[in-house]
Amino acid sequence: MTALVQHWCDGKLWTGTSGRTAPVTNPATGAVTAHVALADIGDAQRVIGAAAAAFPAWRDTSVAKRAAILFRFRELLNERKSELSEIITREHGKVLHDALGEVGRGQEVVEFACGIPHLMSGRFTENASTKLDVYSIRQPVGPVAIISPFNFPAMVPMWFFPLAIATGNTVVLKPSEKDPSAALWLARLWAEAGLPDGVFNVLQGDKIAVDELLTDRRIKAVSFVGSTPVAEYVYATATAAGKRVQALGGAKNHALVLPGADLDLAADAMVNAGFGSAGERCMAISVCVAVGAIGDELVAGIAARTRSIKTGDGTGDADMGPLVTRAHRDRVASYIEAGLVAGAELVVDGRAVEADGSPDGFWLGPTLLDRVTPEMSVYTDEIFGPVLAVVRADSYDAALELINDNPYGNGAAIFTNDGGAARRFQNEVEAGMVGINVPIPVPMAYYSFGGWKASLFGDAHAHGADGVQFFTRGKAVTTRWPDLSRSGLELGFPQNT
């Protein structure tokens, strides 16, 4: 009998009452390793109720005490991050060092949130008018929902909940039902760090749970990461219910390689950014745009490196693990076939990969397609797998037009040794995150993450200054007091409590 992955409600595990479950598989073996509870409306309302009940006391907890808990959580996470990495590899499939990197990038946001006393500081103007002072404060919005995808079961939630908690909100995290256990591990760590019951909750489930989070009036804000169609639905539904929303959608990230670029550097970057985490990254490079006569040499370099990648079980010495489910593996493979039918040139075929692992794993090796054109589905659609498409362009202007015509605007990169071209690209490209000789331009936690166009619904990006703004509301206070002398003595040292 397999284990049941439960909800985390008001500081403890809770089975729920729906009776519905879904299987959780190990992608490297195809075996069902657990079942996850799927909430009904009543289950969702109970978990939301726990967050709502805990909010007033947490809102009124001093910033210093909140920061102390954040620091303790950070230390525990640093001590035990290998445990979390193993859970991610077991349920998602990515190799262990990639999972460890995911935890590390999430921890950057935890460390950023430890500075919340400074991040929430307001402004003060004395004598704005005669004996009248004006100051600004930021206050938490209330219970918030975080709906996270399968590809980063630890990092994406950590883009949001450290700042949400640090700024005085309570949280309901709805992880993907494909890899739900990391969320419970994080919940236990919060409890050990001293977070009060009800401040961090985990609601397991599917669309029923999501819809309740989007419409329940007790939830005041929603953070979402996923595909563009779902992001658009989340944004429309939650804003109609009066919530503030940051919904990060899909991507089709391009890397432009100019003549004169270091082609060895560019080829390494295309392989690393295209096939890391089996291409299941919203910031993966899925299109390489080769400009001018460099195309053949660049493709040859990418192909040689692609063929050297070892695909296998993420707990071993593989470079790339399996895809998350068999259905997703088959969907990605169908795009390869569609590209060939449409006239793309198959340079490296990952469909017949000999993986180092169980024959029942969800294997698909890295695939390289050349001479892809913009009308092909392998170009237009977000594939979310280890498929890199090479498009040829005659000039920088033609390449830029191709990138800017794409409906997505998450990230874009340029590889060049020409500083003028790089500066022009960063100014002209229509993408929220830009890399110059950097293939995956994910900013550090003190900057904000987010794209343009169909890659983002709402105005707020994740973490950084945008994250603090999103989870708080500004308030301006104007005061005038009678001029009374102070009375009483207090000789003790002032305390930061």
Side-chain angles (χ1 to χ4, degrees):
M1 183 176 180
T2 59
L4 179 67
V5 182
Q6 299 170 284
H7 312 284
W8 184 268
C9 180
D10 201 22
K12 57 184 176 295
L13 290 170
W14 180 55
T15 302
T17 61
S18 75
R20 298 191 309 127
T21 63
V24 179
T25 58
N26 181 335
T29 66
V32 174
T33 57
H35 284 79
V36 59
L38 299 178
D40 59 16
I41 292 175
D43 293 340
Q45 290 178 345
R46 175 167 171 174
V47 176
I48 293 169
F55 172 66
W58 184 243
R59 173 196 60 202
D60 294 337
T61 299
S62 73
V63 176
K65 290 181 179 178
R66 288 188 226 146
I69 294 173
L70 261 291
F71 271 106
R72 178 60 178 154
F73 179 83
R74 184 259 180 199
E75 293 304 309
L76 291 171
L77 181 61
N78 192 50
E79 292 169 5
R80 302 180 194 170
K81 55 190 175 184
S82 61
E83 297 175 23
L84 181 56
S85 303
E86 290 170 3
I87 292 171
I88 294 168
T89 295
R90 185 169 63 245
E91 292 188 349
H92 174 269
K94 66 181 65 176
V95 298
L96 274 171
H97 66 80
D98 197 10
L100 192 61
E102 168 185 346
V103 176
R105 290 311 300 263
Q107 188 169 6
E108 290 175 9
V109 184
V110 177
E111 292 170 350
F112 175 68
C114 286
I116 200 63
H118 167 71
L119 297 171
M120 286 192 70
S121 61
R123 300 171 58 196
F124 185 93
T125 302
E126 185 181 28
N127 275 336
S129 185
T130 304
K131 295 187 178 181
L132 183 145
D133 305 326
V134 180
Y135 58 94
S136 63
I137 58 177
R138 301 207 65 84
Q139 296 181 319
V141 297
V144 303
I146 299 168
I147 304 168
S148 65
F150 72 82
N151 59 323
F152 288 103
M155 184 186 74
V156 167
M158 282 196 281
W159 281 352
F160 304 109
F161 68 64
L163 284 174
I165 290 171
T167 52
N169 303 280
T170 54
V171 171
V172 178
L173 169 62
K174 209 300 284 184
S176 170
E177 60 271 31
K178 295 181 178 67
D179 43 14
S181 297
L184 289 184
W185 189 93
L186 289 164
R188 292 187 180 96
L189 206 70
W190 274 120
E192 187 172 346
L195 192 69
D197 293 347
V199 176
F200 183 82
N201 306 275
V202 178
L203 177 65
Q204 308 285 6
D206 50 16
K207 189 175 184 296
I208 293 174
V210 169
D211 284 344
E212 196 62 25
L213 292 172
L214 300 182
T215 56
D216 191 299
R217 294 286 178 171
R218 292 170 293 181
I219 296 292
K220 303 303 181 183
V222 176
S223 299
F224 170 86
V225 177
S227 68
T228 287
V230 182
E232 192 168 12
Y233 169 80
V234 166
Y235 181 77
T237 305
T239 53
K243 308 179 194 305
R244 58 171 58 182
V245 183
Q246 50 180 179
L248 283 65
K252 197 72 178 181
N253 304 313
H254 294 63
L256 189 163
V257 185
L258 290 180
D262 184 330
L263 295 188
D264 286 328
L265 171 68
D268 286 343
M270 296 307 100
V271 172
N272 294 337
F275 305 130
S277 196
E280 293 173 330
R281 290 173 175 164
C282 67
M283 287 299 290
I285 292 295
S286 54
V287 180
C288 172
V289 186
V291 176
I294 64 170
D296 289 346
E297 183 180 353
L298 178 61
V299 169
I302 296 172
R305 290 162 173 79
T306 300
R307 293 188 182 101
S308 71
I309 293 175
K310 181 178 180 180
T311 303
D313 192 320
T315 60
D317 62 351
D319 302 306
M320 193 185 88
L323 273 69
V324 69
T325 64
R326 189 176 305 280
H328 184 56
R329 184 264 174 213
D330 293 345
R331 174 184 174 275
V332 175
S334 72
Y335 275 104
I336 300 171
E337 180 61 29
L340 299 182
V341 171
E345 178 184 326
L346 183 62
V347 181
V348 181
D349 188 353
R351 293 172 296 177
V353 66
E354 294 183 4
D356 183 15
S358 166
D360 296 323
F362 309 141
W363 308 114
L364 183 69
T367 297
L368 178 62
L369 295 171
D370 191 12
R371 302 190 184 276
V372 171
T373 56
E375 70 276 3
M376 296 178 183
S377 63
V378 72
Y379 176 82
T380 59
D381 296 359
E382 184 182 27
I383 298 174
F384 222 61
V387 179
L388 178 63
V390 178
V391 178
R392 308 290 186 109
D394 294 331
S395 65
Y396 167 88
D397 288 329
L400 181 70
E401 182 179 4
L402 175 79
I403 296 171
N404 287 347
D405 282 347
N406 195 275
Y408 297 109
N410 207 42
I414 186 170
F415 285 80
T416 181
N417 285 324
D418 184 338
R423 197 169 191 278
R424 181 183 172 190
F425 181 77
Q426 74 177 37
N427 180 55
E428 296 177 338
V429 72
E430 295 179 6
M433 293 169 284
V434 179
I436 297 174
N437 297 319
V438 174
I440 303 180
V442 177
M444 300 298 289
Y446 42 86
Y447 286 87
S448 296
F449 179 103
W452 289 9
K453 301 189 288 188
S455 294
L456 178 72
F457 296 87
D459 296 326
H461 290 186
H463 56 71
D466 278 20
V468 177
Q469 295 284 322
F470 180 78
F471 289 116
T472 59
R473 294 182 292 183
K475 184 179 288 185
V477 182
T478 304
T479 65
R480 176 178 284 134
W481 295 102
D483 188 10
L484 301 177
S485 61
R486 296 180 60 188
S487 61
L489 297 175
E490 176 55 65
L491 302 183
F493 194 84
Q495 296 295 306
N496 183 22
T497 58

